[in-house]
Amino acid sequence: MRTLDSNTSLRIAVQKSGRLTDKTLKLLEGIGLKFDDYKRSLLVRCLNFDVELLLIRDDDIPEYVEDGVCDLGFVGANVVEEDQADVTILRGLNYGVCRLSLAAPKEDKLKSAEDFSGKKIATSYPGITGRFFESRNIDVQVITLSGSVEIAPRLEIADAISDLVSTGGTLKANGLEEVIKIFDSETQLVKTNKPLSNGKSELIEKILQRIEGYQKAANSRYIMMNAPEKAVPRIKEIIPSLKSPTVMPLADNGMVAVHTVIPLTTFWDVMEQLKEVGATGIVMLPIESMIV
Ligand code: PRT
Ligand code: ZN
């Protein structure tokens, strides 16, 4: 029987069930790792790499990676920062994006960090919150709660809160106003600082490169269009492509087809400008992966 001590495969910690689970598993599958049914077990074998997933609570991930029980972990920066875990952050992953913010009842009209002086602040992040006030020499009383922090002011357990915010809907629904953002967070890929055995470093490098390609692809679009041949010099100026666009002649005299890759964020601007120079039939396609 294999035990958690026989750490010969590259072991990756993933949140078992929560906000990060689906996106992390989708990312791992997106970079070509195949897994057995992960709903049945806490330790899941990868079918095509010497990798296994350990599915655990997100709060446990930094410690498991710090101790070398897992070699890699996918976890919110908020959790890593709260624990001050001794791990190496390999990459931000652009999902699970949120912020830790101080918030107080709207009617209190708090504006600055100093306005929290002497107040009771409820939070699940006593570390980050405490350090924020300590570094500013502001005295506050931090009250640690494990959940439902947003109702603490109404229950008169606290005057204010420090909690994760993404849309702001929860604060609003509880009559609270976001006053100061104290920490920006996203999911991170973290690596143990313990020595790695059996070619694990090479495998980690490979995984990292694939993640880079996956992220680039997610942020890019393949576009195709027809355009007058004489517009090609202008099109080349408009398209901030990685390499020069592919230009192919069409049966229709004086017309060409142009194919290229553009950053998703520029898509609408680029498309409007392309239409102005005579491009027609502009088609945008998602890209599954890009070798970079
Ligand atoms: O069971 P386990 O311990 O593994 O999970 P968990 O319940 O502790 O964590 P989970 O699944 O809720 O969140 C996992 C991670 O997702 C967090 O550590 C963050 O890195 C990230 N994340 C991103 C969030 C949010 N967005 C978020 N909005 N985590 C929590 N929230 C909560 C927040 O605490 C508040 O209650 O959502 C509410 C606010 O959301 P808005 O949209 O109303 O502002
Ligand atoms: Zn948790």
Side-chain angles (χ1 to χ4, degrees):
M1 193 181 109
R2 281 170 347 105
T3 69
L4 272 185
D5 298 328
S6 60
N7 186 3
T8 54
S9 302
L10 185 79
R11 188 176 294 142
I12 307 177
V14 174
Q15 188 185 23
K16 180 169 171 42
S17 166
R19 286 167 196 264
L20 309 184
T21 308
D22 286 351
K23 286 198 170 140
T24 302
L25 294 173
K26 192 170 160 236
L27 167 66
L28 289 169
E29 284 174 353
I31 62 164
L33 275 60
K34 295 189 170 67
F35 297 97
D36 261 340
D37 183 5
Y38 18 68
K39 299 211 163 62
R40 280 184 308 181
S41 167
L42 291 185
L43 201 56
V44 183
R45 284 284 327 146
C46 175
L47 301 174
N48 56 342
F49 279 94
D50 191 11
V51 167
E52 62 190 8
L53 302 185
L54 184 64
L55 297 160
I56 50 181
R57 289 198 59 192
D58 69 341
D59 314 64
D60 295 332
I61 293 176
E63 200 179 320
Y64 272 58
V65 175
E66 179 173 320
D67 293 347
V69 175
C70 294
D71 305 299
L72 296 178
F74 288 87
V75 63
N78 50 303
V79 183
V80 179
E81 178 71 15
E82 177 65 19
D83 291 4
Q84 300 265 283
D86 178 16
V87 296
T88 299
I89 297 160
L90 294 179
R91 204 176 175 90
L93 296 167
N94 221 352
Y95 63 89
V97 174
C98 59
R99 54 196 185 271
L100 187 69
S101 287
L102 295 170
K106 227 171 157 191
E107 57 279 11
D108 292 357
K109 298 193 168 37
L110 303 192
K111 294 278 171 260
S112 67
E114 287 72 23
D115 293 345
F116 287 82
S117 179
K119 303 230 180 266
K120 282 190 207 160
I121 302 172
T123 185
S124 304
Y125 294 87
I128 304 178
T129 307
R131 289 191 290 276
F132 174 83
F133 286 108
E134 271 157 38
S135 68
R136 287 164 179 76
N137 282 321
I138 298 169
D139 261 341
V140 296
Q141 189 184 338
V142 175
I143 296 166
T144 306
L145 299 179
S146 57
S148 306
V149 167
E150 64 277 1
I151 58 167
R154 250 191 301 158
L155 298 178
E156 297 183 359
I157 298 169
D159 306 305
I161 67 167
S162 166
D163 199 12
L164 295 177
V165 181
S166 48
T167 62
T170 303
L171 293 183
K172 214 169 177 186
N174 286 280
L176 299 168
E177 190 172 44
E178 189 171 356
V179 182
I180 303 170
K181 176 179 76 180
I182 62 176
F183 185 75
D184 269 313
S185 188
E186 64 177 337
T187 307
Q188 291 177 331
L189 176 59
V190 296
K191 179 174 85 75
T192 189
N193 288 333
K194 297 274 190 245
L196 293 166
S197 58
N198 311 330
K200 282 182 181 176
S201 298
E202 291 74 17
L203 190 48
I204 291 174
E205 194 47 45
K206 188 172 203 161
I207 287 174
L208 263 179
Q209 273 176 15
R210 288 192 181 192
I211 290 177
E212 195 181 329
Y214 181 88
Q215 286 185 312
K216 277 243 164 74
N219 295 327
S220 304
R221 288 295 179 270
Y222 192 80
I223 63 166
M224 306 186 281
M225 76 204 82
N226 295 339
E229 195 171 6
K230 61 181 174 12
V232 169
R234 270 294 287 135
I235 290 174
K236 281 187 177 167
E237 282 169 22
I238 294 165
I239 296 175
S241 63
L242 302 174
K243 296 201 179 86
S244 46
T246 306
V247 180
M248 290 164 286
L250 291 175
D252 193 350
N253 229 351
M255 292 293 284
V256 289
V258 181
H259 291 197
T260 193
V261 173
I262 61 165
L264 181 57
T265 47
T266 65
F267 176 73
W268 290 106
D269 286 344
V270 165
M271 199 171 75
E272 283 156 13
Q273 292 177 52
L274 288 172
K275 277 172 82 176
E276 276 169 26
V277 299
T280 54
I282 304 170
V283 174
M284 175 179 80
L285 297 172
I287 304 169
E288 212 153 275
S289 192
M290 275 166 75
I291 309 298
V292 283

